[in-house]
């Protein structure tokens, strides 16, 4: 894995040489455009509208067009020469409680590795200070000619730098909240909490996978082999547009979640030990008592009927 940035963390007079490595990698199948009729590749060519010719990428620069139509051409050299102190420095601005940072501001994460053995001690010192205080450092850094805020925090044995949006880049949410007065009953809140607890039991984030990616991989493989793509049942769930009885919906959700967990546990046990027979569900006591009562009642009625018939025959013979 190649580093994407080299520089130093600075706070006060302390300087820690480090290098950045991308901490995440999105998976996916690389797709390109083709002509649907014959599969011919669609190419995008860069043409200069003044010279009416294709321009190589090396001759392309960026530009800004003002409202009055004027154009300011910006070359790579122009952008790299911007007077930004954070080009090679992760400048610590302040230390804050990690809970104070709005998750909406967080963007791409990077692992921080020490650049050289001399940086190990100040690196560990900063890591332990952040970990012991429960704080994170708000910093500035310039990546690919763009300066941004970044959050420096601890993850395991490493320092992690996560770029952030500027506060004015988060759109206001005014007017999006539910309108009018909404009353939530204590019973509804209790049932919602119960549903949350049921869904959270034995939850394993690492076990989740991308269903779309798996389906796309299967589709591509089938197309390459020239066979019929696998077809699955329609699994798209339709969200109800009207909630009639919130308590009934919550109660049904809790029951469904419990059944799902019970089924998952039974399947897991069977997978671990295929020779173990599935446990039978115990019969409901109320139902068993009712069935027993119904059976004994039927026998008693039959005996009384037989006794009446016998007595009638004796009187008739007398």
């Amino acid at each position: 894995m190649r580093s994407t940035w080299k520089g130093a963390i600075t706070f006060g007079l302390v300087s820690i040489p480090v290098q950045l490595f991308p901490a995440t990698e999105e998976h996916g199948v690389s797709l390109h455009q083709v002509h649907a009729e014959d599969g011919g590749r669609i190419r995008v060519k860069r043409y200069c509208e003044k010279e009416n010719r294709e321009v190589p990428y090396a001759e392309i620069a960026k530009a800004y067009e003002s409202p009055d139509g004027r154009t300011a051409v910006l070359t790579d050299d122009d952008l790299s020469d911007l007077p930004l102190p954070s080009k090679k420095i992760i400048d610590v601005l302040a230390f804050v409680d990690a809970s104070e940072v709005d998750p909406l501001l967080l963007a791409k994460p990077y692992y921080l590795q020490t650049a050289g053995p001399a940086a190990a001690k100040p690196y560990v010192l900063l890591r332990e200070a952040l970990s012991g205080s429960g704080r994170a450092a708000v910093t500035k850094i310039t990546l690919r000619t763009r300066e941004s805020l970044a959050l420096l925090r601890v993850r395991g044995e490493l320092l992690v730098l996560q770029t952030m949006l500027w506060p004015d880049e988060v759109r206001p949410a005014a007017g999006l909240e539910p309108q009018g007065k909404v009353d939530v009953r204590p019973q509804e809140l209790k049932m919602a909490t119960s549903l949350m607890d049921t869904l959270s039991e034995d939850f394993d984030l690492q076990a989740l996978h991308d269903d779309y990616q798996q389906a796309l991989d299967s589709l591509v493989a089938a197309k390459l082999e020239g066979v019929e793509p696998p077809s699955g049942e329609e699994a798209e769930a339709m969200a109800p547009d009207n909630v009639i009885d919130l308590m009934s919906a919550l109660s049904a959700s809790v029951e469904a979640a419990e059944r799902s967990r019970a089924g998952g546990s039974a399947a897991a046990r069977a997978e671990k030990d295929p020779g173990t027979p599935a446990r039978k569900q115990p019969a409901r006591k109320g139902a068993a008592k009712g069935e027993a009562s119904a059976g004994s009642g039927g026998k008693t009625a039959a005996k009384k009927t037989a006794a009446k018939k016998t007595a009638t025959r004796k009187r008739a013979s007398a």
Side-chain angles (χ1 to χ4, degrees), residues 198-274:
T198 303
L199 292 176
S200 301
E201 290 180 7
D202 301 326
F203 175 72
D204 182 9
L205 185 61
Q206 301 299 324
L208 300 182
H209 61 273
D210 188 346
D211 292 325
Y212 173 82
Q213 183 63 43
Q214 289 185 351
L216 183 59
D217 289 341
S218 299
L219 175 62
V220 170
K223 291 283 187 178
L224 292 175
E225 297 296 329
V227 299
E228 188 69 20
S231 59
E233 298 180 358
E234 186 67 31
E236 186 175 338
M238 298 299 293
D241 58 359
N242 186 22
V243 179
I244 303 299
D245 188 344
L246 184 57
M247 281 297 292
S248 297
L250 288 171
S251 180
S253 299
V254 171
E255 293 177 1
E258 289 177 345
R259 287 196 302 270
S260 177
R261 285 189 64 253
S265 300
R269 288 196 301 270
E271 185 177 351
K272 290 181 180 179
D273 188 3

Side-chain angles (χ1 to χ4, degrees), residues 101-185:
V101 179
D102 188 345
L104 280 178
L105 295 172
L106 299 178
K108 189 171 182 178
Y110 295 86
Y111 293 133
L112 279 174
Q113 184 189 50
T114 56
K121 185 170 183 177
Y123 183 100
V124 172
L125 175 63
L126 177 58
R127 184 192 69 194
E128 295 303 309
L130 290 175
S131 178
S133 63
R135 292 183 178 184
V138 177
T139 71
K140 274 185 179 182
I141 187 173
T142 298
L143 296 171
R144 299 181 185 89
T145 72
R146 187 180 187 276
E147 186 180 55
S148 67
L149 290 174
L151 191 70
L152 185 64
R153 57 187 178 85
V154 178
R155 186 178 189 270
E157 298 296 315
L158 284 177
L159 291 174
V160 173
L161 186 82
Q162 193 155 7
T163 57
M164 300 169 61
L165 300 173
W166 297 95
D168 59 359
E169 291 181 315
V170 177
R171 293 177 174 176
L176 299 180
E177 64 276 1
Q179 301 298 313
K181 184 180 180 181
V182 179
D183 293 324
V184 177
R185 294 183 296 166

Side-chain angles (χ1 to χ4, degrees), residues 17-47:
V18 293
Q19 48 190 347
L20 265 61
F21 294 86
T24 59
E25 181 182 15
E26 295 186 7
H27 51 69
V29 176
S30 179
L31 304 176
H32 54 256
Q33 293 182 331
V34 297
H35 189 195
E37 293 185 2
D38 55 22
R41 184 73 179 266
I42 302 298
R43 302 287 183 178
V44 178
K45 296 184 178 181
R46 299 175 176 87
Y47 271 82

